[in-house]
Amino acid sequence: VEYMFLGELFLETGGLDRWIISDNWMSSKSICMWFGINCRNGEQHADAIVLRHNGLIGIIPESISAAPSLREIVLHDNEVGDEIPETLWRMDTLEILDLGNNLLTGSISDQISRLKDSLIKLDIKSNYLTGELPSELGECTSLHELKLEDNDFEGTIPSTFGQLTGLQKLSLATNYDITGPLPDAFGLMTQLRELSLHDMDLSGTIPAAMVNTLTMSNLEHIRIDNNYFNGTIPATIAAAWPHMTFLDVRKNEFTGSLPTEMGRMSLLELASFSENLFTGTIPTEFGQLKELKHLHISFTDVTGYMPAEICTLRQDGIPDNPAEPGLQILVADCGYMSCACCNVELTGDECDREEDDDYSSVDEEEEEEEEEEESGGDQEELQPAVEAKSAYLYGGN
């Protein structure tokens, strides 16, 4: 049975003439010796199909679900198209489904709830998927990682996402037609470490449950830039997110002053507040952020002088060297602020344009590293993490 469905997968996805590597496929050797097929020790059944970046085209055959014990399907970064077979959503042994960076269309079936006890990772980012996010996704309480970014989903974020209490990474970014406020239930995702909601159509305030308690104290990385969030940044943010290293809230409609309490976010490495409606002055307490490498406060209504305490952070580092300590990039606000230690002080004609820094590269490069590690790639070929972070800090594309 497995030979037959694997043979169909081979033929339907261009195995004869398009695959980059097809060693032993369709041969008389054990399927456990076919490239990309992993079997559990002592068993002759396919446990995983891992054909990442291997030139696959065509469609995923429905027969792929015939595998009796398949736990992992990874077809990331190919050119597989058409809809995700309905049968895939019924594979109650499936733990990892990674179909990201393909040409898939259609929607996420409400049958995904059939995977509620097994699915740990779902990555279907960078496809052409449409429709609303099914509330049944919230029933998949075994999920640790959910990547749905860069598709054409629409509607609002289901409140059932609050049931994903074991989720550690969530990205819905670059789905431009997902609208509305964040559900209050987001505050129930107590294990969440990374949250990417940039480049969407979200609005409203940051839910109180996310910042008024310690329930989301594991958060390290937040991108909510390029939305329509409003209100103030709560003073409780420092106590609520003590492990935060990466905070990007630029290009929203936040108002009020920057909280002095943020000076206690001792692990913060990157903070971007640009292109909001902030007022007041920059807190001197920001000078306590000894790990800070990048601070952007431009195109706001913040006035006054750059505090000497922050300039000291700038002087502590070797300029523009991400491997060294100290504040590497400091950008002052447009025309309203005096800053003697900034890398960039935007004045004059520059005040009439929007910033065009692309902050997505660090996320993408870090994800590529993770994918290479998962597929057993040559570690020497991996780009060091510091280079990925450098690309973010210095606006690399």
Side-chain angles (χ1 to χ4, degrees), residues 65-278:
S65 62
S69 57
L70 197 60
R71 293 187 305 110
E72 183 174 349
I73 299 175
V74 179
L75 306 181
H76 193 99
D77 196 18
N78 286 287
E79 294 182 10
V80 176
D82 210 344
E83 297 187 7
I84 300 173
E86 188 76 10
T87 54
L88 270 186
W89 305 118
R90 302 173 188 161
M91 296 179 64
D92 56 11
T93 62
L94 201 60
E95 297 178 6
I96 296 176
L97 179 59
D98 184 349
L99 307 177
N101 288 65
N102 276 286
L103 305 174
L104 296 167
T105 59
S107 59
I108 301 176
S109 170
D110 57 11
Q111 293 294 307
I112 193 172
S113 60
R114 300 277 292 270
L115 306 179
K116 63 183 181 181
D117 296 324
S118 61
L119 194 62
I120 296 173
K121 175 181 177 178
L122 176 61
D123 184 346
I124 49 177
K125 70 177 184 179
S126 300
N127 280 285
Y128 297 94
L129 299 170
T130 57
E132 297 188 358
L133 300 177
S135 61
E136 288 80 4
L137 262 171
E139 298 180 31
C140 298
T141 54
S142 296
L143 274 171
H144 290 176
E145 191 170 335
L146 180 57
K147 295 183 177 181
L148 308 179
E149 72 261 31
D150 193 21
N151 279 287
D152 296 312
F153 293 120
E154 59 186 21
T156 58
I157 301 174
S159 61
T160 55
F161 274 33
Q163 300 171 24
L164 303 177
T165 55
L167 197 64
Q168 298 176 16
K169 297 181 180 181
L170 172 62
S171 180
L172 307 176
T174 325
N175 281 288
Y176 300 106
D177 293 324
I178 292 183
T179 65
L182 296 183
D184 290 337
F186 258 46
L188 301 176
M189 294 190 286
T190 56
Q191 300 303 310
L192 200 63
R193 293 189 293 109
E194 297 183 14
L195 178 61
S196 294
L197 302 175
H198 59 87
D199 294 284
M200 300 173 69
D201 196 23
L202 300 174
S203 58
T205 60
I206 299 175
M210 290 182 64
V211 292
N212 287 348
T213 67
L214 293 177
T215 56
M216 301 195 75
S217 61
N218 290 306
L219 272 173
E220 302 173 359
H221 181 122
I222 291 183
R223 285 196 63 185
I224 58 173
D225 49 291
N226 282 318
N227 280 288
Y228 297 95
F229 289 113
N230 53 50
T232 61
I233 302 294
T236 54
I237 189 174
W241 300 341
H243 300 108
M244 186 62 60
T245 63
F246 190 111
L247 178 63
D248 189 350
V249 301
R250 66 193 170 98
K251 294 188 177 180
N252 279 285
E253 297 175 356
F254 287 114
T255 57
S257 300
L258 298 173
T260 60
E261 290 81 359
M262 290 187 68
R264 298 200 300 267
M265 300 177 78
S266 59
L267 301 179
L268 196 61
E269 297 181 16
L270 184 146
S272 182
F273 305 103
S274 298
E275 297 184 60
N276 279 284
L277 304 175
F278 293 118

